[in-house]
Amino acid sequence: MRVSRLLLVTLRDDPAEAEIVSHKLLLRGGYIRRISSGIYAYLPLLWRVLQKIEHIVRDEMNATGALETLLPQLQPAELWQRSGRWDGYTAGEGIMFHLDDRQGRALGLGPTHEEVITTLAADLLRSYRQLPVNLYQIQTKFRDEIRPRFGLMRGREFIMKDAYSFHADEASLGQTYGAMDQAYRRIFARCGLRAVAVEADSGAIGGSASQEFMVTAEAGEDLILTSSDGRYAANQERAVSLPSPAIPLQASSCTELTTPGQRSIEALCSAHGFDPSQTVKVLLLLARFATGQPQPLLVSLRGDQQLNEVKLANAVNGRAESGAGALLEIAPITPEQLQGEGLAALPFGFVGPQLSDAVLESARTWTPRFLRLADATALELERFVCGACRPDSHLVGASWGDLCPTAFLRPTGLDLRSAQPGDRCVHEPTQRLEAARGIEVGHIFQLGRKYSQALEATFTNEAGSDEPLWMGCYGIGVSRLAQAAVEQHHDSQGICWPVTIAPFEVIVVPANGDDPQQTQLAEELYDALRQAGVDALLDDRSERAGVKFKDADLIGIPWRVVVGRGAPQGRIELVRRRGTVSQELEASALLNSLMPALQNERLGLLEQHA
RNA sequence: CGGGAUGUAGCGCAGCUUGGUAGCGCACUUCGUUCGGGACGAAGGGGCCGCAGGUUCGAAUCCUGUCAUCCCGACCA
C-alpha cells in the first residue's frame, strides 16, 4: 500500500475529546473518528489492526475445535424474558438498547448472545453424541453504557469475540474451560500483550467459576490484586484477604457516650481516641428489583473495613424473594426516600445494628423489615463501639449478644469487605497483596445450567433421559484489545505496535521524494519486501523527510526503511520503531538483515508462554 | 441520574466581562525558494459563532430554553 492512497489524516494537536494516551494516539494517528458518544468509525488503518487481531483469535479458536458462526444482533424480547434478563437489561440502568417493531413487538440489540445461542442449542443439540460443541462469533455488540469513555475502551458499540460451549457433564465443561484458558493466553501473547489471568466476579452473566484476562496498564479501569509469589491474582471485586487483627476494646459493659455531630467513623475515633477496628459502622441501603418490592438493607462492617459492593450485590441476589426479579440497584437510603415512604427520619451517622424493624412498619412500598447482613470481621468483635440509634449518641462496649438478643435481629455473617493492597494473603499469610491496574480484555465463565434450564435446552443422555446442557461462555473485547495494545505500547512520539497486530510491518521512506535515485531504490525495496511476504507500506508522498518520519512514528509501524543520501551507493538505513534502534546497511542486504528479526517478532510474546 | 466544564473553519484555540456583523496557529489550494525529524515567503478558499426563542436600531457577546460533548461522582452519612 502507498501512503498517498491510504487516506492517512494525522493530527498534530491532541483532540480535546481524548483523555488517555491511547485514545489521543488513535485519533491523532488517523485510526478512529468519533461519530457519537461511545460510537466510533474504525478507519482503514485500524480496520487492518482489527483484522489482524481477529485472524489470531480465529486461528487459536479454530485450533481448539471451536466452530465459527454469526448470530443476529436484533433479538426478540421474548427470548430475554424467558431467561429472566429482559427487565434487568432494559429497566433502570439496564444496558440493552431496545425498540419496538412496526407490529409493536419488542426487540433488543444484542449486548451478548447467551439467549440466542441457547435457543439454537435447544433446537440443534438433542443427544450426548453431539457434545461437546463450542460455537463462536466475532460480532459487533451494543451496550448502552452509563458512561462511555476513553474511546474504544468503553464504547456503546464495539467488536467482541464471544464463544459458547455445550456439554453433557460438568467435567467436559471444565475441560473446554481449561482449553479456552490456554487459548486465551496464546491469543494475548501472540498479540504482543502482557496480560494476567485473575479470579473474577461473574457479574450479570451469572454462573460459577470465572476468570478475567487483564492487560496491565495505568489507565486500566479495574484494580487487580496479586501476590508477589504469583499464586494469587484477583479482581478487587472478588479478591479475598486476611483482615488485620482488631485492637481489643477495653470494656466489660455497655455505656452510652455523647458524640455531638460525630457522624463518621473518623470523627468518632479522633474525638474519643478509639481505633476504627474497635467500631462497627452500619450502612442503610435500599436494594431495588425489577419486579419485587424494594428491600431495605442494614449492613454492619468493622469500622476500618470497606464495603465491597459486588460481594454485597451477590449476597442480596442470593437472598432475594423468588419473584423479585433482577437486582437493579443498591444505593444509600436518603431522608427524602424515607419521607416518601411516610416513615420517620432516621439518625443517620448514629445507627447501630440493633435498629428495630419498627422504623419500617408503615412503609408504603418497601418490605417492612431489614435484610440484616454483617461482615465476619464485625461479628468477631467481642465488645465494640456503635451508634445508639439516637442522634449524637454512641454505645461503648456493646456486644452482639446484648444488642441482638433475638435471632430476628442478628445479622447473617458473610464476606462483604474489600480486600486492600497490603493485606495478608489467604493462601500464604506471609505474602502481601499488591495492586495494579488492568484493562479487561477477556473473560471466561463456567455458566453451568442457568440458561439451559431457563430456556429449556436439554439433551438426551446415555441413559436415555433428558437433562439441561452444561454451558460455558468466553469473550474477548477485540476493539478494546486494539486500544489496550496502544496503551501498553507507545512512547512520546506515538504508537509502537507489536508486529503481529500492526497495520503494516514495514514502511519504506524515501527521504527526498524528488530524487529519482532514492524513489527508484525505494520502489525496488518495496517490491522486494512484498514479494518476500512482508506487509509493507511505501511513503510516496511529496512531503519533507521530517513529516514522513513523524507520521511513521505516530502511526507506529514497527520497522522503517529509509532510502536517503546513501542511495547512489546502495546504502540504506533500517530503523526499529521500538527504542528507535537504527543500522545502516547495503540495500541488497535488507531482507537478510530484516527477515530473521521480523520472523521472530511475528510470534509476539508466544515463546515466553510456550 | 447528581455535580462541574465546554460548544466559534477539518483540528487546537482567542474574542464574550464593557453588544457594532469574526480572528490566530495547524491543516487545505496555487506559485516560488527549500529538501534527513512536523520548512520559509507570497497569494487564496473555507464559519447561520451548537440549536430555538427573547431583549435591542444592532447579539458570537446579554437573558431564557434546549441539544451535544467531555470530566468527576453515583461505596463507607
Side-chain angles (χ1 to χ4, degrees):
Chain A
M1 175 62 69
R2 290 163 187 272
V3 175
S4 64
R5 305 287 87 209
L6 191 58
L7 195 66
L8 180 66
V9 180
T10 57
L11 304 173
R12 191 180 298 213
D13 298 312
D14 285 335
E17 70 188 61
E19 185 78 4
I20 64 174
V21 64
S22 55
H23 188 192
K24 290 177 181 172
L25 289 174
L26 288 176
L27 284 165
R28 283 189 52 206
Y31 282 91
I32 56 174
R33 280 294 165 97
R34 190 180 65 78
I35 300 301
S36 175
S37 177
I39 299 174
Y40 289 84
Y42 311 130
L43 301 182
L45 266 186
L46 187 73
W47 186 237
R48 293 184 69 97
V49 172
L50 293 172
Q51 286 183 315
K52 290 194 175 188
I53 296 169
E54 290 180 6
H55 173 78
I56 292 170
V57 169
R58 284 198 173 92
D59 202 37
E60 294 294 337
M61 291 301 292
N62 293 346
T64 69
L67 301 167
E68 185 167 2
T69 182
L70 191 61
L71 303 169
Q73 293 162 310
L74 208 45
Q75 304 175 9
E78 191 225 338
L79 280 186
W80 287 76
Q81 282 155 352
R82 282 172 61 198
S83 70
R85 295 207 294 181
W86 178 258
D87 292 329
Y89 271 64
T90 57
E93 295 191 335
I95 58 169
M96 184 152 63
F97 289 105
H98 52 285
L99 61 143
D100 293 332
D101 69 13
R102 65 175 76 217
Q103 266 89 21
R105 287 179 298 233
L107 299 161
L109 279 174
T112 178
H113 281 76
E114 278 83 7
E115 280 73 6
V116 170
I117 196 80
T118 310
T119 304
L120 277 174
D123 186 18
L124 299 170
L125 298 174
R126 305 278 168 72
S127 159
Y128 73 96
R129 292 173 198 273
Q130 295 170 286
L131 302 174
V133 170
N134 191 2
L135 286 162
Y136 76 96
Q137 63 172 341
I138 295 174
Q139 171 71 290
T140 295
K141 299 280 196 243
F142 298 90
R143 293 186 187 173
D144 193 0
E145 292 285 346
I146 297 174
R147 188 173 155 210
R149 59 181 138 183
F150 304 146
L152 306 182
M153 288 293 191
R154 184 168 296 281
R156 297 196 294 171
E157 180 179 326
F158 58 97
I159 299 173
M160 182 171 173
K161 187 283 302 181
D162 51 331
Y164 306 88
S165 69
F166 299 91
H167 310 267
D169 55 52
E170 197 169 9
S172 169
L173 167 58
Q175 253 174 23
T176 296
Y177 183 80
M180 286 297 107
D181 178 18
Q182 289 307 308
Y184 273 37
R185 287 169 199 263
R186 288 180 57 87
I187 287 168
F188 300 126
R190 285 180 65 182
C191 289
L193 293 174
R194 297 184 299 276
V196 288
V198 303
E199 288 181 19
D201 183 76
S202 41
I205 305 267
S208 52
S210 114
Q211 186 170 280
E212 286 169 341
F213 292 84
M214 296 285 193
V215 169
T216 49
E218 270 309 301
E221 289 192 271
D222 290 282
L223 187 66
I224 58 185
L225 296 172
T226 57
S227 66
S228 49
D229 66 4
R231 286 167 59 201
Y232 184 76
N235 192 313
Q236 192 187 31
E237 294 178 347
R238 153 89 184 215
V240 293
S241 68
L242 298 173
S244 59
I247 296 173
L249 182 68
Q250 301 303 318
S252 52
S253 62
C254 184
T255 56
E256 199 165 334
L257 179 69
T258 303
T259 54
Q262 293 155 22
R263 292 161 176 275
S264 68
I265 296 292
E266 194 180 89
L268 179 68
C269 288
S270 64
H272 302 281
F274 299 125
D275 185 84
S277 71
Q278 298 171 322
T279 68
V280 167
K281 65 179 167 190
V282 168
L283 312 178
L284 296 177
L285 305 162
L286 187 69
R288 293 195 306 110
F289 295 92
T291 47
Q293 287 182 296
Q295 170 67 62
L297 310 176
L298 189 153
V299 180
S300 302
L301 291 171
R302 204 173 80 187
D304 62 327
Q305 299 298 318
Q306 310 294 314
L307 176 66
N308 183 316
E309 271 194 286
V310 173
K311 291 179 182 177
L312 176 65
N314 288 339
V316 171
N317 246 332
R319 284 162 183 75
E321 289 171 32
S322 52
L327 174 62
L328 298 180
E329 182 197 41
I330 295 179
I333 292 176
T334 64
E336 296 73 35
Q337 286 176 322
L338 289 170
Q339 224 168 23
E341 286 292 304
L343 298 174
L346 290 172
F348 289 117
F350 305 96
V351 171
Q354 71 279 22
L355 184 67
S356 162
D357 285 344
V359 302
L360 298 175
E361 213 167 24
S362 55
R364 292 200 180 111
T365 62
W366 296 356
T367 305
R369 59 194 169 276
F370 287 109
L371 176 59
R372 293 165 188 270
L373 304 171
D375 184 67
T377 52
L379 283 182
E380 282 161 8
L381 297 174
E382 299 272 330
R383 296 274 173 185
F384 50 86
V385 181
C386 69
C389 298
R390 266 195 301 282
D392 302 331
S393 184
H394 278 77
L395 301 177
V396 180
S399 71
W400 290 102
D402 297 342
L403 288 182
C404 310
T406 61
F408 207 65
L409 281 174
R410 198 159 301 151
T412 309
L414 294 165
D415 174 21
L416 294 175
R417 55 182 280 276
S418 273
Q420 301 289 337
D423 283 357
R424 293 168 301 150
C425 296
V426 172
H427 76 279
E428 171 54 70
T430 60
Q431 292 278 321
R432 300 273 176 177
L433 289 178
E434 293 166 10
R437 300 212 68 89
I439 300 163
E440 181 189 349
V441 290
H443 202 156
I444 59 177
F445 303 80
Q446 293 191 30
L447 290 177
R449 306 207 274 194
K450 172 178 171 175
Y451 294 93
S452 54
Q453 276 165 348
L455 297 162
E456 293 165 338
T458 62
F459 70 101
T460 308
N461 63 22
E462 219 166 340
S465 55
D466 281 3
E467 58 174 301
L469 290 154
W470 290 85
M471 290 177 59
C473 79
Y474 320 93
I476 290 180
V478 172
S479 44
R480 177 185 283 183
L481 189 157
Q483 189 173 335
V486 177
E487 198 61 38
Q488 205 173 62
H489 300 291
H490 68 269
D491 62 19
S492 61
Q493 296 301 303
I495 302 171
C496 307
W497 290 111
V499 158
T500 48
I501 60 174
F504 296 92
E505 295 173 315
V506 177
I507 181 166
V508 179
V509 182
N512 182 347
D514 291 338
D515 181 332
Q517 280 182 305
Q518 291 185 18
T519 51
Q520 195 193 332
L521 183 54
E523 292 278 356
E524 285 169 17
L525 292 174
Y526 171 59
D527 284 340
L529 285 165
R530 286 192 303 156
Q531 277 177 21
V534 176
D535 209 351
L537 188 61
L538 175 68
D539 197 341
D540 59 339
R541 295 176 299 173
S542 59
E543 291 287 350
R544 296 162 61 86
V547 172
K548 291 188 275 198
F549 294 158
K550 287 284 185 192
D551 275 344
D553 287 350
L554 176 60
I555 67 177
I557 308 302
W559 292 91
R560 185 172 85 217
V561 175
V562 182
V563 182
R565 294 195 200 92
Q569 292 78 43
R571 306 284 296 174
I572 58 166
E573 204 177 330
L574 179 60
V575 185
R576 187 170 182 231
R577 172 68 181 87
R578 193 178 307 237
T580 324
V581 191
S582 150
Q583 69 179 107
E584 206 188 310
L585 68 166
E586 294 292 328
S588 56
L590 174 61
L591 287 176
N592 283 337
S593 196
L594 173 64
M595 290 313 287
L598 191 56
Q599 292 289 8
N600 190 43
E601 289 182 358
R602 283 173 174 169
L603 298 171
L605 301 176
L606 203 53
E607 62 278 84
Q608 295 172 17
H609 290 255

